[in-house]
Amino acid sequence: MLVLLPPSEGKASSGHGAPLKLESLSLPGLTAAREAVLTELVELCTGDEDKAREVLGLSEGQRAEVAKNAGLRTAGARPAGEVYTGVLYDALDLASLDAAAKRRAARSLLVFSGLWGAVRVTDRIPSYRCSMGVRLPGLGALGAYWRTPMASVLPEASGDGLVLDLRSSAYAAAWKPKGEVAGRTATVRVLHSQVVDGVEKRSVVSHFNKATKGRIVRALLTAGAAPKDPAQLVEALRDLGYAVEAETPGRAGKAWSLDVVVTEIH
C-alpha cells in the first residue's frame, strides 16, 4: 500500500543535526528536479525580500519564512514526519505509533511537496515554506513543473498494490495515476452527515476532513491492514468501523472514489 499525503502549511522548526543531503532522500530519480527548485528558491529568498514574499504568497508578518528559505542548505534537517505538523499530522500522530506501525509508515507514506516533489516520512529535511501553488520566476508553476519528473518516478514507486490518494487538489496536480496504476488507486472524501428537519444533509468541512484522513491512516497502520486494491480497502475501513460508500470507476484506468461518512465532527 502506498499512501499519498499533502504536506502541511505549518511546520516544526529545523533540527540541530546535519544539514540536508539531497542525494540521501528517497526517490533518487527526483534529485535533479529537487536541486533545481532548491537553487531557485534559495536565490529568490536571499535577494529582494519583498519579491520573495510576493512569489511565495506570504504576508508582512511572515517575513521570517523568507529568511528560513534562504538558509535551507545549512539548516539542520530532521525526519519529514516530524517537520510536517497541522491537523492531518496531529491526528496521524506518528510519534506515538508502536514500532511495527512506524515501520509500516516508513514504507507506505509519501508526502508531496512543492520543494521536494515527494518524500518519505523518514527522509531528513529542513523546515521550509514553498507550496505546490507557487510560481517561481524561472521554473514556473511548481504543480506543472513536477509532472514530468513525477511521471517517470511515481509509477515504479507505487509498486503493485493499492494507492490511497489523500492529497488536496493542488498536490494531486503534480502526479495523476494513469492506466493500470489508476485502476488500483482510491481517492477519499470525508462527508459530515446531519439530519435537519428529517432530511439528511451532507457537507465537506476542510479542518475536519484533514483530521479524519489522519485518523484513517493511523487506524490502517495500527491494524496492520494491507489492502491490495480499492475493494479490499473498503472492506478494511468498514472492519475498522468506518461507514464507506464506494463509487467504482466506469471504465478501466480510472481511480475509485470513496466517501467516508461520519456523523460527529472532532
Side-chain angles (χ1 to χ4, degrees):
M1 177 174 67
L2 183 68
V3 182
L4 311 181
L5 297 174
S8 58
E9 185 172 293
K11 299 175 182 67
S13 60
S14 294
H16 298 290
L20 168 75
K21 293 183 179 180
L22 277 181
E23 66 276 10
S24 71
L25 299 181
S26 302
L27 307 179
L30 298 178
T31 300
R34 289 166 173 155
E35 176 62 42
V37 178
L38 178 62
T39 296
E40 182 166 357
L41 182 62
V42 170
E43 289 179 354
L44 172 70
C45 292
T46 52
D48 186 325
E49 185 178 278
D50 290 331
K51 178 181 178 180
R53 284 198 303 109
E54 180 182 358
V55 169
L56 297 174
L58 302 176
S59 67
E60 175 70 28
Q62 294 174 312
R63 285 183 176 271
E65 299 294 299
V66 176
K68 178 194 292 185
N69 284 347
L72 281 172
R73 291 193 182 275
T74 56
R78 62 196 299 183
E82 297 177 12
V83 171
Y84 294 115
T85 58
V87 177
L88 187 153
Y89 292 90
D90 285 347
L92 175 54
D93 195 8
L94 287 168
S96 69
L97 292 174
D98 62 36
K102 285 180 179 177
R103 288 193 294 271
R104 296 182 196 110
R107 291 193 303 266
S108 63
L109 304 188
L110 197 62
V111 184
F112 276 62
S113 162
L115 175 53
W116 316 116
V119 292
R120 303 282 186 184
V121 292
T122 50
D123 285 334
R124 298 181 64 83
I125 59 173
S127 182
Y128 67 96
R129 188 63 173 260
C130 184
S131 73
M132 193 66 81
V134 164
R135 179 183 293 272
L136 292 175
L139 297 177
L142 290 177
Y145 170 79
W146 280 112
R147 286 175 197 153
T148 297
M150 289 287 193
S152 67
V153 171
L154 267 294
E156 181 179 354
S158 69
D160 58 3
L162 170 74
V163 177
L164 175 53
D165 190 352
L166 302 179
R167 297 172 296 167
S168 56
S169 57
Y171 290 89
W175 180 61
K176 183 178 181 180
K178 296 181 180 179
E180 181 269 335
V181 179
R184 49 186 168 85
T185 296
T187 62
V188 172
R189 180 175 62 166
V190 180
L191 298 178
H192 179 218
S193 173
Q194 294 175 290
V195 177
V196 180
D197 297 329
V199 178
E200 183 194 26
K201 295 185 177 181
R202 294 180 175 182
S203 60
V204 177
V205 183
S206 178
H207 177 98
F208 168 70
N209 172 61
K210 294 175 183 177
T212 302
K213 286 180 177 178
R215 285 191 286 268
I216 286 172
V217 175
R218 181 181 178 86
L220 290 169
L221 294 172
T222 301
K228 298 295 185 182
D229 55 41
Q232 290 186 17
L233 173 64
V234 172
E235 293 179 8
L237 291 176
R238 287 173 177 167
D239 288 344
L240 290 168
Y242 288 97
V244 182
E245 298 175 357
E247 180 181 335
T248 58
R251 57 186 175 86
K254 291 291 185 180
W256 286 48
S257 298
L258 308 184
D259 284 343
V260 174
V261 183
V262 296
T263 57
E264 295 182 2
I265 294 179
H266 60 93

